[in-house]
Amino acid sequence: MNDVHSLPVERHTIFQNSLMTALLDGIYDGEMTVSELLSHGNFGIGTFDALDGEMVIVDGTCYQLRGDGTARVADLKQRSPYAVTTNFVPRIVQEAPRGLTRAEISGIIDALLPSKNYMYALRIAGTFHDVTVRTVTKQRKPYRPMVEAVDSDSELHVTDTQGVIVGFRTPVYEKGISVPGCHVHFIDAARTCGGHVLDFTVDHASISICPGTDLQLRLPLTSDFSAANLDPHDLDQQLHATEVKD
């Protein structure tokens, strides 16, 4: 019998546009506009056409984090080849212990979850001693696979900054659909810089978690997606190279 305390409070939908494996295969042209994405949630992450920067959706506004680390409000007509969104409801809230790194905070988050078999939207907001990010840069056709496209990405180190880390913790059975584990982006409080998070150290911050029970998946209706290799033999290595980059 299931323990009631291991279950989310109620049903909650997470929306996803396309697949991570499609992005890995170089499917960088999107059908879905930022305006359409925002109709599915006020919180999320993703990327833009031609891998033109990282996406952060926070408090209902979509930001484009460019290759040089700068941030701007995205145009509603811009398109995305991959994004994950939801309407964020903070059902689990915990202060983050000071001085902990990303790996240590990930362990604390896992301990807070009612079950590892559901999806979770994550928000860590406050002050950070340091944050290390990288941002994809705009590609040109013919598109290279993502492991090649991100090979020359530069890292940005931000110290003593206020901001928010936005993302999702995804179960391992979704590997290929999304990024298993914690996939998070950062934007500073002034909304001037950010990127895909590689590491961080907390100063004073709060962790908020929104459980998701339902996945709404939208697949592209394009010839490129139809012909894509969505089952690469080296999927684990590609995910590690593009999302962890160590």
Side-chain angles (χ1 to χ4, degrees), residues 5 7-13 86-94 112-114 119-123 206-213:
H5 298 295
L7 302 176
V9 175
E10 60 183 36
R11 290 204 168 274
H12 189 93
T13 298
T86 194
N87 286 307
F88 192 86
V89 181
R91 299 203 177 276
I92 302 169
V93 179
Q94 172 76 45
L112 292 171
L113 303 181
M119 304 159 287
Y120 299 90
L122 308 173
R123 176 177 175 140
S206 177
I207 302 168
S208 301
I209 302 173
C210 173
T213 59

Side-chain angles (χ1 to χ4, degrees), residues 87-116:
N87 286 307
F88 192 86
V89 181
R91 299 203 177 276
I92 302 169
V93 179
Q94 172 76 45
E95 289 302 306
R98 189 175 185 179
L100 296 193
T101 64
R102 172 179 175 160
E104 293 166 327
I105 291 294
S106 291
I108 289 174
I109 289 172
D110 281 348
L112 292 171
L113 303 181
S115 168
K116 292 184 179 181

Side-chain angles (χ1 to χ4, degrees), residues 79-196:
R79 294 181 180 272
S80 171
Y82 175 83
V84 187
T85 66
T86 194
N87 286 307
F88 192 86
V89 181
R91 299 203 177 276
I92 302 169
V93 179
Q94 172 76 45
E95 289 302 306
R98 189 175 185 179
L100 296 193
T101 64
R102 172 179 175 160
E104 293 166 327
I105 291 294
S106 291
I108 289 174
I109 289 172
D110 281 348
L112 292 171
L113 303 181
S115 168
K116 292 184 179 181
N117 294 335
Y118 295 97
M119 304 159 287
Y120 299 90
L122 308 173
R123 176 177 175 140
I124 307 174
T127 304
F128 299 86
H129 177 69
D130 58 72
V131 183
T132 301
V133 300
R134 63 100 174 130
T135 305
V136 291
T137 55
K138 188 174 182 178
Q139 302 295 299
R140 298 188 182 278
K141 293 183 176 180
Y143 295 137
R144 300 174 294 167
M146 195 173 178
V147 288
E148 298 177 19
V150 304
D151 189 54
S152 59
D153 289 352
S154 59
E155 294 183 7
L156 174 68
H157 302 273
V158 185
T159 59
D160 299 321
T161 184
Q162 290 185 327
V164 58
I165 290 172
V166 171
F168 294 86
R169 186 201 180 280
T170 302
V172 68
Y173 61 75
E174 277 195 48
K175 180 168 58 176
I177 297 176
S178 190
V179 180
C182 291
H183 180 194
V184 291
H185 294 176
F186 170 80
I187 189 167
D188 70 342
R191 307 300 190 242
T192 59
C193 70
H196 173 96

